[in-house]
Amino acid sequence: MEPTRLDGWTIYHRPVTESTNLDARAGKPGDVFTADEQTAGRGRLDHTWLSQPGKNLMLSVVLDVAGVAPAEVATLPLVVGLAAATATSLLLLRQTWIKWPNDVLICS
C-alpha cells in the first residue's frame, strides 16, 4: 500500500481488504484506510459487512483521542455519521439517511 499524504492525513488504499477497521488497528492518528472491496468486515453487534467492488465507500480513520473524556469518545461514531451524511447531502444535492450508527445511505 503506497500512502498518499493530504493536509496532515496519510491515506492508505487497497483494491481489496478483509476490513478497513482491521487495517486501521495497525495505524496511527491521522491515518485513513480505504478499499474498493471489503471481504470480511464487521458491523455493529458483529454483523458481517461485505461490499462488492465499486458499490460503497469504505474507510476507517485513526483519531487521537488522548485527553478526550470517554463519554465524548463514545459519541464520535454518531457525530461522524451525522457529519458525513450532511456533507454528502450538500455535495451531491441528494437526500441521505444514516443507518445506525455511522453508515450513510444516499437516496436515489
Side-chain angles (χ1 to χ4, degrees):
M1 236 181 328
E2 184 65 32
T4 300
R5 292 182 184 8
L6 178 65
D7 291 332
W9 298 96
T10 303
I11 303 166
Y12 298 90
H13 178 77
R14 290 185 175 179
V16 179
T17 189
E18 286 184 56
S19 163
T20 60
N21 194 299
L22 289 176
D23 296 340
R25 291 181 186 183
K28 61 186 182 312
D31 288 350
V32 179
F33 296 86
T34 69
D36 295 324
E37 180 180 6
Q38 187 168 264
T39 61
R42 292 281 177 223
R44 187 170 175 266
L45 302 176
D46 207 33
H47 290 132
T48 302
W49 179 259
L50 303 177
S51 180
Q52 297 174 348
K55 294 291 182 182
N56 301 292
L57 173 63
M58 289 144 308
L59 64 96
S60 294
V61 178
V62 182
L63 301 175
D64 182 0
V65 295
V68 180
E72 291 177 1
V73 171
T75 65
L76 280 176
L78 304 171
V79 172
V80 169
L82 180 58
T86 301
T88 301
S89 180
L90 292 171
L91 287 171
L92 299 180
L93 300 175
R94 294 172 78 184
Q95 184 180 12
T96 58
W97 295 349
I98 299 173
K99 181 180 174 209
W100 185 265
N102 59 3
D103 297 331
V104 177
L105 306 174
I106 300 170
C107 303
S108 311

